[in-house]
Amino acid sequence: MIRPEDLLRPTPAGLYCPPGDFYVDPVRPVDRAVITHGHADHARAGHGAVLATRQTLAIMAERYGEAFTVLRQPVEYGEIASHNGVEIRLVPAGHVLGSAQAVISWQGLTMVVSGDYKRRRDPTCALFEPVPCHVFISEATFGLPVFTHPPDTEEVGRLVQSLGQFPDRAHLVGAYALGKAQRVICLLREAGWERPIHVHGALERLNRLYEREGVDLGPILPATGLKKDALGGDVAIAPPSAIQDRWARRFADPVTAFASGWMLVKARARQRGVELPLVISDHADWPELIQTFEEVRPEELWITHGREEGLLRWAELNGMKARALRLIGYDEEGGETGDPVGTPAGTDA
């Protein structure tokens, strides 16, 4: 009888598939890798061969250069690839552009490596698709009941309201360069904000990539070469570290904002000196995690990183077998500090 550990097992390099001889989101260079999405704690350079969605491969090339791997294998959502008799299928994860869950099947056993995911609609990427399976491997970034995030439309509405209340002040929004920045821009457009949005240079190349993939960001201008006290009544988006840097001093009495699920924790907002915390996350909150487990109904739940204690207890109370893998090397903070394109960067909370 096949055990889950026969198909996928944790190793120091990451989740390894012995029969297929590949890794999923390995944390060090390996011969063969399946990559779920482009954040750098999951997508590292130096692998011999990489299987991922076309968009994720494009993001990796943008960040690391065209020689980030020896061989690329693009796979469309729903397409089945096979290696050594192991089937690999990628389905949407709803995290960022091109993000995918890896559905891995072998000899009647199906395991789903979800990567990072969220369940809410995102105008910049495909919606999460639940896949019934024997073992579901989940993150737990916000794996506590206290993490119930408000609708993102309400949070962006607070930003638009602040722009109306303080028409002479620039509004600087900290948002990670891959995924969060483009999502905030699109949400602002959907909220009726038609004026040009200024962006830090670290966002420009990824913004162009998103637009090449059909994501309309509207009028975007660089936030460089501006006179002192510029952008009163306008929005500028930058990596979170930049809104507390000398870069921000050129703007007119700026309102500092930060788009992150962690802004639900008021102490974190105070520590960062954030005047306008925006609770906008690219990870599933507690209700979305539970919704996912109830829809997928796996025989086993494996938790890769984050706050696993709450989910282990929930699984115990609900008669679901669960274990924490405690894999090393994945960043639950959303640590794209500075995040200049082409340098390593972490995940986005």
Side-chain angles (χ1 to χ4, degrees):
M1 184 174 181
I2 299 172
R3 303 170 304 164
E5 294 82 359
D6 296 329
L7 180 55
L8 283 175
R9 65 182 60 167
T11 74
L15 278 173
Y16 176 60
C17 176
D21 191 23
F22 61 81
Y23 291 81
V24 181
D25 291 349
V27 298
R28 62 182 66 167
V30 298
D31 288 339
R32 285 177 290 275
V34 174
I35 302 298
T36 62
H37 68 281
H39 283 138
D41 59 334
H42 292 255
R44 291 167 167 83
H47 306 308
V50 172
L51 182 150
T53 63
R54 177 180 53 80
Q55 295 91 339
T56 292
L57 292 171
I59 289 166
M60 293 180 73
E62 193 70 63
R63 297 192 122 173
Y64 300 123
E66 292 294 334
F68 72 90
T69 186
V70 177
L71 177 66
R72 307 183 202 182
Q73 184 177 355
V75 177
E76 297 296 326
Y77 289 134
E79 180 183 349
I80 295 176
S82 181
H83 190 75
N84 292 350
V86 177
E87 289 189 350
I88 307 161
R89 180 164 59 97
L90 301 183
V91 299
H95 182 54
V96 296
L97 180 69
S99 62
Q101 305 169 78
V103 182
I104 300 172
S105 301
W106 181 63
Q107 297 190 11
L109 176 66
T110 297
M111 303 178 71
V112 173
V113 184
S114 63
D116 291 336
Y117 66 98
K118 67 175 180 292
R119 301 300 307 268
R120 303 183 184 204
R121 170 190 171 272
D122 182 337
T124 70
C125 66
L127 189 66
F128 178 95
E129 179 182 315
V131 178
C133 56
H134 298 99
V135 179
F136 185 74
I137 303 174
S138 176
E139 60 147 315
T141 302
F142 294 110
L144 290 173
V146 68
F147 291 115
T148 300
H149 298 149
D152 50 22
T153 52
E154 291 183 6
E155 297 300 284
V156 169
R158 293 174 55 239
L159 174 58
V160 173
Q161 183 181 26
S162 181
L163 284 158
Q165 290 176 330
F166 304 105
D168 297 325
R169 301 179 67 184
H171 283 62
L172 307 185
V173 181
Y176 298 109
L178 172 56
K180 186 66 64 66
Q182 297 79 21
R183 181 181 174 199
V184 169
I185 291 170
C186 287
L187 290 172
L188 273 167
R189 299 306 185 197
E190 290 182 349
W193 189 259
E194 298 178 350
R195 295 169 66 170
I197 294 173
H198 293 73
V199 298
H200 189 281
L203 276 59
E204 291 179 0
R205 287 165 58 187
L206 286 172
N207 283 351
R208 289 196 293 270
L209 188 154
Y210 266 68
E211 291 189 313
R212 290 197 300 270
E213 292 295 330
V215 179
D216 183 8
L217 302 178
I220 300 292
L221 296 175
T224 55
L226 300 172
K227 296 180 179 179
K228 187 174 176 57
D229 297 330
L231 301 188
D234 281 318
V235 177
I237 299 180
S241 60
I243 66 174
Q244 299 170 319
D245 189 65
R246 287 183 302 173
W247 178 86
R249 298 176 188 171
R250 74 192 74 178
F251 303 114
D253 188 20
V255 174
T256 57
F258 183 19
S260 169
W262 294 112
M263 290 299 95
L264 194 65
V265 182
K266 294 181 180 179
R268 295 209 179 194
R270 288 195 299 268
Q271 288 168 1
R272 289 180 172 266
V274 174
E275 184 175 348
L276 182 62
L278 303 173
V279 184
I280 301 175
S281 177
D282 282 333
H283 294 260
D285 64 5
W286 176 267
E288 292 170 336
L289 290 167
I290 302 308
Q291 173 194 353
T292 302
F293 306 152
E294 291 177 340
E295 289 182 2
V296 173
R297 296 305 303 174
E299 295 174 4
E300 291 189 39
L301 173 64
W302 290 6
I303 304 166
T304 54
H305 60 282
R307 282 148 182 77
E308 66 268 13
E309 294 85 357
L311 292 180
L312 291 173
R313 179 59 175 162
W314 177 89
E316 179 184 357
L317 293 173
N318 286 272
M320 185 180 294
K321 186 178 180 181
R323 60 179 288 198
L325 301 185
R326 295 183 172 86
L327 295 177
I328 304 300
Y330 300 102
D331 183 358
E332 67 174 53
E333 277 289 327
E336 296 197 344
T337 306
D339 195 24
V341 175
T343 63
T347 62
D348 176 13

